[in-house]
């Protein structure tokens, strides 16, 4: 028969998978927890891997990758496809990019940003003097949103429910990597990570901060530049990237500062 502690741990785990990160406790609940914490560690059930097993970012990200494979909050929705696309890049990176969700190419190859938008992203990184291997790239939703049996190459943005289901994993990734800053690529990623609403145009141009004081910049998704090749659109994205470079204290040449400026 499950103990009260077992029931509580299971309940907290369900809340975590729903994206709830804190709960209010009354005096009686606090007394119970104090009594449990005073017991020998060997008698306390661990709802997840112990800290000794997760000493490095590599171990933490590997653990999250395995958890995400069968993440019940996402699986039980029934609106996401089966194959998980987790992340790519350096788990020690100072810069993390957060995109929307896997598309057809990403699902096929099992890696974020490998289609045409990914090629555009690689161009942006090269202009910054960075390689894809030097940063960490993930998505706010870990599975390609489904559009039915005959979906083919078509893609759609994840719903708020689909984002909420995967958000605890994404937040845990950021805690594991502890980057210097994060860039949200597009409104979907921004709304998921920062909460609230608003267009990219209204969110970009300033630094936002998560609860742990992690700086976040919002810019247009690379696919936006595939649809809008105007000089002003490219300059807007580049201004955001210049701000990121300054935050990371990367060298910036006068030539780089002038990219896409009106002549």
């Amino acid at each position: 028969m499950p103990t009260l502690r077992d029931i509580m741990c299971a309940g907290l785990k369900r809340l975590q998978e729903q994206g709830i990160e804190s709960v209010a406790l009354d005096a009686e609940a606090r007394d119970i927890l104090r009594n449990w914490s005073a017991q020998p560690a060997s008698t306390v059930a661990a709802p997840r891997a112990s800290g000794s097993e997760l000493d490095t970012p590599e171990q933490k990200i590997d653990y999250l990758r395995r958890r995400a494979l069968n993440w019940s909050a996402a699986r039980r929705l029934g609106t996401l496809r089966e194959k998980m696309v987790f992340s790519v890049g350096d788990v020690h990176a100072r810069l993390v990019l957060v995109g929307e969700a896997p598309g057809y190419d990403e699902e096929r190859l099992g890696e974020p940003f490998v289609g045409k938008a990914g090629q555009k992203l690689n161009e942006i990184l090269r202009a910054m003097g960075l390689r894809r291997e030097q940063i960490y790239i993930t998505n706010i939703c870990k599975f390609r949103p489904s559009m039915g049996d005959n979906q083919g190459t078509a893609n759609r943005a994840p719903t708020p429910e689909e984002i909420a289901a995967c958000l605890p994993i994404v937040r845990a990734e950021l805690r594991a990597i502890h980057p210097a800053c994060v860039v949200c690529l597009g409104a979907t990623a921004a709304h998921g990570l920062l909460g609230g609403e608003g267009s990219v145009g209204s969110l970009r141009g300033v630094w936002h901060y998560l609860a742990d004081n992690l700086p976040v910049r919002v810019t247009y998704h690379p696919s936006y530049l595939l649809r809008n090749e105007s000089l002003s659109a490219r300059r807007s994205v580049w201004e955001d990237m210049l701000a990121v470079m300054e935050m990371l204290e990367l060298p910036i040449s006068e030539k780089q500062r002038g990219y896409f400026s009106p002549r």
Side-chain angles (χ1 to χ4, degrees):
M1 177 179 293
T3 65
L4 178 59
R5 186 184 297 123
D6 295 333
I7 294 171
M8 187 197 73
C9 289
L12 290 175
K13 182 178 179 181
R14 285 195 297 271
L15 291 175
Q16 183 188 49
E17 293 180 351
Q18 294 168 12
I20 298 172
E21 297 188 334
S22 62
V23 293
L25 298 176
D26 59 22
E28 182 179 4
R30 287 195 292 271
D31 288 339
I32 291 173
L33 290 175
R34 288 193 192 99
N35 290 335
W36 286 348
S37 65
Q39 296 177 20
S42 60
T43 68
V44 180
R48 62 174 199 157
S50 67
S52 62
E53 295 173 342
L54 301 174
D55 288 335
T56 67
E58 288 88 351
Q59 291 168 327
K60 293 174 183 177
I61 293 300
D62 182 64
Y63 169 73
L64 292 170
R65 189 187 305 272
R66 288 184 278 111
R67 284 294 306 275
L69 277 170
N70 297 297
W71 191 244
S72 60
R75 294 297 191 186
R76 64 171 170 254
L77 290 175
T79 58
L80 297 170
R81 291 168 63 90
E82 286 296 312
K83 184 174 179 179
M84 181 194 70
V85 180
F86 194 74
S87 66
V88 67
D90 184 1
V91 298
H92 297 276
R94 299 181 65 233
L95 172 61
V96 171
L97 304 184
V98 181
E100 183 177 272
Y104 170 78
D105 291 313
E106 288 74 20
E107 183 184 58
R108 180 171 58 88
L109 298 175
E111 183 176 318
F113 284 95
V114 292
K116 292 182 178 180
Q119 294 170 19
K120 179 60 69 174
L121 178 60
N122 291 343
E123 292 176 9
I124 295 170
L125 292 173
R126 284 195 295 271
M128 297 172 70
L130 294 172
R131 301 189 311 277
R132 186 180 175 94
E133 296 79 16
Q134 293 177 289
I135 64 170
Y136 184 88
I137 307 174
T138 190
N139 277 316
I140 203 75
C141 184
K142 299 300 186 184
F143 303 85
R144 184 183 175 201
S146 175
M147 298 176 68
D149 294 337
N150 299 316
Q151 182 166 352
T153 61
N155 301 310
R156 68 168 175 83
T159 65
E161 293 75 19
E162 291 164 346
I163 293 169
C166 296
L167 192 56
I169 292 285
V170 179
R171 287 174 172 163
E173 286 178 88
L174 296 180
R175 290 194 296 270
I177 295 170
H178 196 63
C181 65
V182 175
V183 174
C184 288
L185 300 171
T188 299
H191 296 163
L193 198 59
L194 299 174
E197 299 178 352
S199 66
V200 172
S202 67
L203 294 171
R204 61 167 297 273
V206 296
W207 286 103
H208 306 266
Y209 292 86
L210 297 181
D212 54 359
N213 213 33
L214 176 60
V216 179
R217 199 81 175 190
V218 178
T219 194
Y220 293 101
H221 194 281
S223 62
Y224 173 79
L225 297 180
L226 297 176
R227 302 189 303 270
N228 183 354
E229 297 184 352
S230 69
L231 188 64
S232 61
R234 288 182 286 173
R235 180 63 191 181
S236 293
V237 173
W238 186 241
E239 287 174 353
D240 296 325
M241 295 301 103
L242 286 174
V244 170
M245 293 173 71
E246 290 172 350
M247 175 67 75
L248 297 175
E249 298 182 340
L250 295 176
I252 306 174
S253 68
E254 288 304 310
K255 181 179 180 180
Q256 285 174 307
R257 289 195 184 278
Y259 286 168
F260 312 115
S261 294
R263 297 295 181 184

